[in-house]
Amino acid sequence: MANPARKFSKGRRDRRRASTFKVSAPGIVECPQCHEMKLGHRVCKHCGYYNGKEVVATEVE
């Protein structure tokens, strides 16, 4: 088995590993019914619509 000739510094090791811990923001889109921001491919929490159909009944304010 091959071994490294020199010890890698902790900084170099951590820089290499840092790219695996990047967090991306969730896909937030505007609801076409009520124009509130919601997560993509999910029922809108404000109006209860998904894909143009009412899925969840919500109280009217």
Side-chain angles (χ1 to χ4, degrees):
M1 279 217 173
N3 285 319
R6 284 175 209 87
K7 178 180 177 179
F8 276 90
S9 68
K10 293 179 185 103
R12 184 176 291 268
R13 176 201 66 198
D14 293 344
R15 260 180 276 143
R16 183 182 68 242
R17 292 179 182 173
S19 63
T20 61
F21 298 113
K22 288 182 182 173
V23 177
S24 61
I28 298 175
V29 295
E30 183 180 338
C31 175
Q33 300 291 327
C34 64
H35 304 290
E36 293 282 337
M37 299 308 285
K38 70 176 191 80
L39 289 173
H41 303 283
R42 285 172 178 79
V43 176
C44 179
K45 292 180 181 179
H46 299 279
C47 64
Y49 275 76
Y50 179 73
N51 202 16
K53 300 171 193 158
E54 187 175 12
V55 180
V56 180
T58 56
E59 294 180 12
V60 179
E61 294 179 0

